[in-house]
Amino acid sequence: MEFTEKHVMGLKDLLYRMADDLLILGHRNSEWTGLGPILEEDIAFSSMAQDKIGQSLALYEILHEIGESEPDTVAFTRNAEQFHSCHLVELPIGEYDFSLVRHFYFDHQSALRMDMLAETVVEPLQMVARKFRGEVKYHTMHADSWLKTLANGTEEAKIRMQQAINETFPYALGMFELSDYEADLIEAGIFPGEAALQEAWYRVISEKLNAFGYSVPEINNSIPSTGGRKGHHTEHLQPLLDEMTEVFSIDPSADW
Amino acid sequence: MYGNAYIENNGQENKLTANEDPQKLAAFEARIAAGDKIEPHDWMPAEYRKQLIRMIEQHAHSEIIGSLPEGTWITRAPGFRRKLALMAKVQDEVGHAQLLYSAAETLGKSREDMINDLINGKSKYSNVFNYPAVTWADSAVIAWLIDAGAIVNQLANSKGSYGPYVRALDRICAEESFHLKYGHDNVVFLATGTPKQREMVQDALNRWWEPIMHFFGPSDKMSVHTEVLMRWKVKMGTNDEMRQTFLDMYVPKIWDLGLTLPDTELKKNEETGKWEYTEPNWDVFKQVINGNGPCNKERLAVRRMAEEKGRWVRRALLQKDAQYVAPLS
């Protein structure tokens, strides 16, 4: 079918949410470099951070092909209000329990989103989604194995993890904040929609958490932390961006 | 990244081997002279084991502490290309620490004990990481020249006698050569960029020159007698030899970029083939080694904080019936 202007706007909105989420979470994950609880985890978080930032770059490149600025300009010169990332990815790395749970929630979302987009009618997006699926598979495996291990470790670890699972949940729901173009994306076969994704995600994480021995947060009792997709962010995003763009903004026209 | 080891002077050479069985010692030395590698279960003099543990452990600590000054620039790297490359580079350094702790563990000291000695200040790491990386250009200079110095040192050590260390170094050197390319490319962009970029890189080079000269350790005139360690192929070259190799390889490259070095005496004596330079201030070097450098306290505090924050995770990983097993070499 022929894309209308609304379809294109919907597609751009979708690409920006995904790319911004991946850039910001990749940036956060990289903050564990040198500081992980064991060296092997420094290395694992760095690998995942590199995958995520590499994925965000590929998505910004698709955006560039459909008329947006170059990836470096888009990533390194926008203000917080111009970002479409969800609140979950902006939060500081905190303790390892939080970082692991964020990783678990985010990557199961990411894996399912890539599965859906592997069938999208937008060919370049279909290609990258199929490629990313292979990478995200290892991220979800990593998250699952840690959640499982810590559930069977000390009592302290299990309590910490359950608390992080509960406290992070409303932020995780913010990943699925509806787009203004939800119906258009579905109609054009671009993306089955955030609501469908959330449903699939909740099914998967509930199954996993139950199997590991955690209790699953009630979806109906939670107020999602939304606004990020529309440019309303937590107080953590702008300082992150200030840091990220510190060198680039010395001279944005210079070759670094 | 790692400079020359700070070998401890244990007194007279004959004391180092005084309690060893002369026959075993002779056979051991003959194997090394023949180019054999010593493996974890082979007989070795106590002093050989002790010095190797010290050296590999210092090297491993240098890798994780070294990831801190560079790591602070990952979140500020300008543009995707640099950001991705720096993440991969610093990740490699942490990977080197992991490899090296495993190599040291084959000699009988556990990773936990080594890390505890690091955060208690009992064991050392390369002095160069006690200086701050003030601007982005500092991170570029570190990636180029400190990694270059490390390669000079590690290539020499990779011809050493202890099998697990040598094998770890082979892998490390291959990765370091990519870091060097990354660092060089980064410095080239700055040196050939805008006036501001050029100024940044020249300032960084001025700041880092003395730490780079210190990197290879005190001048041979002042360092301790290491003949037996050279014979055992624990130490593979003197500090001055390493420094000369480095100067010979990199000073011309620095000058080619139109950058200057803050030592008016620096030149190659064509007759002797040796570089002449102003002796760096070794009192400063000793001050920094003894904990009074600009960042010693901060580096150890960060490492200690990471250890403390991660303790609950490590505790949860321990199985009640697990037994400590040294890794395979």
Side-chain angles (χ1 to χ4, degrees):
Chain A
M1 76 186 273
E2 196 73 11
F3 278 3
T4 65
E5 196 181 328
K6 274 189 130 188
H7 293 143
V8 176
M9 285 171 68
L11 173 63
K12 283 188 180 178
D13 179 65
L14 174 69
L15 289 167
Y16 266 119
R17 331 174 143 217
M18 290 168 61
D20 290 350
D21 274 1
L22 289 163
L23 174 66
I24 302 302
L25 186 56
H27 181 100
R28 284 295 188 210
N29 282 349
S30 79
E31 292 176 355
W32 278 108
T33 309
L35 304 175
I38 53 173
L39 295 178
E40 287 76 1
E41 280 305 281
D42 279 43
I43 297 167
F45 262 78
S46 177
S47 284
M48 293 188 289
Q50 289 168 56
D51 283 348
K52 291 199 174 348
I53 290 182
Q55 291 172 5
S56 77
L57 174 59
L59 294 168
Y60 289 127
E61 274 162 359
I62 297 178
L63 277 163
H64 183 44
E65 282 164 26
I66 52 177
E68 298 297 291
S69 299
E70 297 216 349
D72 274 346
T73 309
V74 168
F76 289 84
T77 60
R78 280 180 300 158
N79 289 323
E81 310 85 72
Q82 296 165 294
F83 268 75
H84 302 241
S85 46
C86 63
H87 295 171
L88 177 71
V89 298
E90 304 165 10
L91 302 174
I93 56 174
E95 297 281 333
Y96 209 60
D97 42 23
F98 165 71
S99 271
L100 278 175
V101 168
R102 165 161 66 186
H103 160 38
F104 172 80
Y105 282 152
F106 183 86
D107 281 310
H108 279 294
Q109 172 271 143
S110 193
L112 292 164
R113 191 182 288 269
M114 299 306 171
D115 282 345
M116 289 176 166
L117 292 173
E119 309 304 328
T120 177
V121 295
V122 182
E123 206 176 311
L125 181 56
Q126 184 191 88
M127 279 167 63
V128 298
R130 288 182 178 181
K131 178 167 178 277
F132 296 166
R133 265 204 303 201
E135 296 175 1
V136 180
K137 183 173 80 181
Y138 291 98
H139 301 191
T140 53
M141 269 168 65
H142 179 264
D144 289 352
S145 83
W146 270 93
L147 261 72
K148 188 177 170 187
T149 302
L150 292 174
N152 295 304
T154 56
E155 198 52 33
E156 182 197 10
K158 191 167 179 185
I159 292 169
R160 272 172 167 271
M161 292 304 288
Q162 184 65 59
Q163 256 170 14
I165 287 165
N166 299 344
E167 285 165 11
T168 312
F169 190 70
Y171 290 101
L173 292 177
M175 293 190 287
F176 310 102
E177 183 176 346
L178 295 182
S179 156
D180 290 343
Y181 308 98
E182 199 82 356
D184 306 291
L185 292 172
I186 297 168
E187 173 197 68
I190 295 171
F191 176 57
E194 300 292 340
L197 179 58
Q198 177 176 313
E199 203 184 307
W201 172 83
Y202 190 62
R203 204 164 45 237
V204 168
I205 61 126
S206 300
E207 215 171 87
K208 300 268 179 194
L209 291 174
N210 273 324
F212 302 152
Y214 297 109
S215 63
V216 181
E218 276 290 335
I219 203 161
N220 297 327
N221 299 340
S222 301
I223 302 167
S225 182
T226 54
R229 304 303 188 195
K230 305 268 160 66
H232 307 297
H233 294 281
T234 65
E235 77 266 27
H236 304 293
L237 183 61
Q238 190 58 51
L240 179 153
L241 294 173
D242 291 344
E243 185 176 331
M244 190 169 89
T245 58
E246 184 187 306
V247 179
F248 194 84
S249 60
I250 292 173
D251 187 350
S253 66
D255 276 333
W256 292 96
Chain B
M1 295 182 289
Y2 183 51
N4 240 359
Y6 309 122
I7 304 269
E8 199 176 66
N9 184 7
N10 285 340
Q12 296 302 312
E13 186 171 328
N14 56 7
K15 278 194 195 154
L16 297 181
T17 54
N19 298 323
E20 304 294 354
D21 176 335
Q23 273 185 327
K24 284 184 179 166
L25 182 63
F28 169 83
E29 292 195 343
R31 279 187 66 193
I32 289 178
D36 271 9
K37 299 296 175 208
I38 305 300
E39 297 299 333
H41 298 297
D42 294 346
W43 184 89
M44 62 186 84
E47 192 63 24
Y48 177 85
R49 183 185 299 276
K50 188 177 149 194
Q51 292 291 357
L52 269 169
I53 291 176
R54 179 194 312 281
M55 188 163 140
I56 303 172
E57 182 181 352
Q58 280 180 13
H59 189 169
H61 294 335
S62 300
E63 301 282 358
I64 44 170
I65 296 289
S67 72
L68 300 177
E70 286 195 291
T72 58
W73 289 99
I74 290 177
T75 52
R76 291 177 275 178
F80 276 103
R81 195 166 67 108
R82 296 290 182 216
K83 194 172 177 77
L84 284 165
L86 186 59
M87 285 163 85
K89 180 207 186 293
V90 184
Q91 181 191 35
D92 281 353
E93 308 291 6
V94 179
H96 297 170
Q98 189 213 13
L99 265 175
L100 290 161
Y101 284 124
S102 299
E105 281 189 297
T106 63
L107 291 158
K109 185 170 181 181
S110 71
R111 191 203 287 189
E112 291 71 20
D113 286 346
M114 290 186 261
I115 290 181
N116 284 337
D117 283 350
L118 168 67
I119 59 183
N120 296 334
K122 260 176 80 180
S123 58
K124 301 219 181 294
Y125 53 88
S126 189
N127 222 19
V128 80
F129 303 120
N130 287 320
Y131 292 88
V134 182
T135 69
W136 169 250
D138 293 56
S139 83
V141 168
I142 294 173
W144 184 29
L145 295 175
I146 301 292
D147 282 56
I151 292 181
V152 166
N153 188 62
Q154 288 164 182
L155 269 179
N157 282 345
S158 72
K159 312 280 187 299
S161 61
Y162 188 59
Y165 187 39
V166 164
R167 289 189 286 274
L169 285 175
D170 280 341
R171 225 177 107 180
I172 290 170
C173 286
E175 292 184 354
E176 295 284 2
S177 64
F178 280 101
H179 301 175
L180 184 100
K181 280 187 193 137
Y182 158 80
H184 183 243
D185 182 69
N186 211 332
V187 170
V188 168
F189 267 67
L190 296 172
T192 58
T194 64
K196 176 76 196 155
Q197 286 175 309
R198 213 176 154 72
E199 185 190 327
M200 278 170 78
V201 74
Q202 183 62 62
D203 285 350
L205 199 53
N206 295 347
R207 268 193 292 278
W208 281 87
W209 189 244
E210 184 163 82
I212 287 169
M213 292 296 279
H214 282 157
F215 184 74
F216 300 92
S219 148
D220 293 350
K221 281 171 265 171
M222 17 183 329
S223 48
V224 297
H225 197 58
T226 53
E227 203 179 299
V228 68
L229 296 174
M230 302 270 268
R231 190 165 74 235
W232 287 348
K233 296 187 186 169
V234 170
K235 199 170 159 71
M236 298 301 292
T238 72
N239 297 349
D240 282 342
E241 284 165 5
M242 303 283 193
R243 198 165 9 246
Q244 284 289 335
T245 307
F246 171 83
L247 292 171
D248 215 32
M249 288 173 78
Y250 294 98
V251 173
K253 291 192 173 79
I254 295 167
W255 285 343
D256 276 352
L257 288 171
L259 297 167
T260 60
L261 292 167
D263 178 1
T264 48
E265 301 300 310
L266 183 70
K267 61 175 181 298
K268 189 169 183 174
N269 182 328
E270 293 303 335
E271 276 176 32
T272 60
K274 299 278 184 204
W275 285 84
E276 292 169 358
Y277 50 83
T278 312
E279 259 327 300
N281 188 334
W282 293 110
D283 290 335
V284 171
F285 176 78
K286 280 180 205 144
Q287 280 287 319
V288 179
I289 276 201
N290 291 326
N292 300 317
C295 300
N296 301 55
K297 288 182 184 66
E298 181 193 328
R299 299 278 184 256
L300 283 187
V302 170
R303 192 63 243 162
R304 203 172 291 126
M305 181 270 293
E307 286 303 303
E308 275 160 23
K309 276 181 87 169
R311 187 159 291 130
W312 71 271
V313 180
R314 292 191 299 279
R315 205 180 289 135
L317 293 177
L318 280 178
Q319 299 294 324
K320 280 185 217 76
D321 48 356
Q323 283 183 345
Y324 175 74
V325 181
L328 294 172
S329 56

